[in-house]
Amino acid sequence: MAQPLRPPSAARAGAYLGLFVLGAVVGVAGALVQPAWFPGGLLLALAGEAGLVLGASRVMRGRAGGAVVAAGWTLVVILLTASRPEGDFLFAAGAGSYLFLLGGIAVAVICATLGAGRQPDAEPARLGK
């Protein structure tokens, strides 16, 4: 039944922090790859993000792992879209950049939702056994 919420263990919190950083690294890598090889780079960047979000959900045995990766990716990509005072920017105003930003957010939400929900550690059993 319902159990009270308790804070995660130190190892689990460290794993979440590592997944957050890994999501940020994938966001930076995707931001650099997607304009270099436009159609293929965009697909590669989104596929890498999807794989990481689904993998994190599976490894952490819950949707929170995927959500943490998605949060790291989104934070870094949003920060990279801002122009600097010197006029430098990483994303050009083009279709590829918008597809990467909006498509990446959609992929993160879809994959984090598809990730396995928290399940009891017991063996799966059919009713009536």
Side-chain angles (χ1 to χ4, degrees):
M1 296 295 193
Q3 297 178 5
L5 293 175
R6 55 183 191 267
S9 65
R12 194 166 186 87
Y16 283 136
L17 180 63
L19 288 172
F20 184 84
V21 170
L22 194 57
V25 168
V26 167
V28 170
L32 296 174
V33 166
Q34 66 89 17
W37 310 309
F38 172 59
L42 176 65
L43 294 175
L44 179 66
L46 294 178
E49 179 199 6
L52 182 61
V53 172
L54 283 173
S57 294
R58 197 134 319 210
V59 166
M60 298 304 287
R61 293 186 182 178
R63 292 186 182 108
V68 167
V69 169
W73 184 92
T74 304
L75 178 69
V76 164
V77 171
I78 294 294
L79 289 175
L80 289 175
T81 59
S83 63
R84 297 178 36 172
E86 296 88 19
D88 299 338
F89 57 90
L90 188 60
F91 288 104
S97 297
Y98 291 121
L99 284 173
F100 177 67
L101 178 63
L102 298 175
I105 292 171
V107 164
V109 169
I110 291 168
C111 291
T113 304
L114 287 177
R118 188 177 289 232
Q119 299 292 323
D121 291 332
E123 291 290 322
R126 290 180 22 208
L127 293 176
K129 267 189 147 180

